[in-house]
């Protein structure tokens, strides 16, 4: 990625968190108190960070260093929040379109029905993490060893336009179809389509999900941020 990509990403996240458009360009920590917020959020993006949430939670977390807050459990323990923790989530972004598909003439569906079929074959936690039905522009790889009308879905990827300039990409693979390059095929198609639509693709995965992180790297995504949030109400 170049500085132009970085500026667009900073702008999108600044707006998402309610910060000034230029807030994340200065390499400092930005603190925003939102009295009605139901969660406290820590974001590291490049060399800048942000801490956003209700006053009590933000005040208690503000004494921790950025490195501490980016670790699992640190934000929750610092503000005494009993709610669910989300993250640390690694944020990665792609700066260039990829040309390698690693599959000749794959059988691809763009129908929601195949996505729903795939979700029925996967664990609930995986379905929630991919969040495909809330996204659009579905690319589902079908098993071409069977007739098209009865072909089973192997993997699917989709993206959602996010803050007008980013494309939040999600991927889901059937348990019996993993480690065969199927996720890479659909993720490449979704990523390239997002580029064609003028957006920067964004890839989110848990910091401990080494499989997803390796897949993102193979697709050309660069890890450039960390996100943690804790429900406080």
């Amino acid at each position: 990625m170049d500085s132009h990509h970085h500026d667009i990403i900073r702008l999108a996240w600044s707006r998402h968190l309610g910060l000034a458009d230029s807030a994340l360009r200065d390499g400092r920590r930005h603190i925003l108190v939102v009295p009605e917020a139901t969660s406290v959020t820590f974001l590291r993006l490049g060399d800048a960070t942000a801490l956003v949430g209700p006053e009590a939670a933000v005040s208690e977390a503000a004494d921790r260093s950025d490195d501490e807050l980016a670790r699992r459990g640190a934000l929750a323990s610092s503000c005494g929040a009993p709610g669910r923790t989300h993250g640390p989530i690694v944020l990665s972004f792609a700066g260039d379109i990829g040309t390698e598909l690693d599959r000749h003439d794959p059988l691809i569906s763009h129908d929601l029905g195949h996505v729903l079929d795939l979700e029925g074959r996967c664990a609930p936690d995986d379905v929630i993490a991919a969040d495909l039905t809330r996204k659009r522009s579905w690319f589902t790889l079908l098993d071409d060893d069977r007739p098209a009308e009865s072909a089973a879905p192997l993997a699917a990827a989709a993206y959602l336009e996010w803050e007008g300039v980013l494309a939040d990409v999600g991927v889901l693979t059937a348990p019996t179809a993993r480690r065969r390059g199927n996720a890479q095929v659909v993720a490449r198609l979704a990523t390239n389509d997002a580029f064609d639509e003028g957006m920067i693709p964004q890839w989110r995965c848990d910091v401990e999900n080494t499989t997803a992180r390796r897949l993102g790297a193979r697709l050309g995504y660069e890890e450039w941020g960390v996100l943690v949030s804790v429900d406080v109400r």
Side-chain angles (χ1 to χ4, degrees), residues 145-196:
D145 289 335
R146 300 166 63 176
E149 62 274 8
S150 61
L154 303 176
Y159 64 85
L160 178 68
E161 183 178 321
W162 196 82
E163 296 298 329
V165 290
L166 302 184
D168 209 36
V169 179
V171 182
L172 183 66
T173 307
T176 57
R178 293 173 181 171
R179 302 183 185 278
R180 301 178 187 176
N182 295 318
Q184 186 168 344
V185 171
V186 291
R188 169 61 68 205
L189 292 171
T191 297
N192 286 358
D193 193 67
F195 273 122
D196 289 342

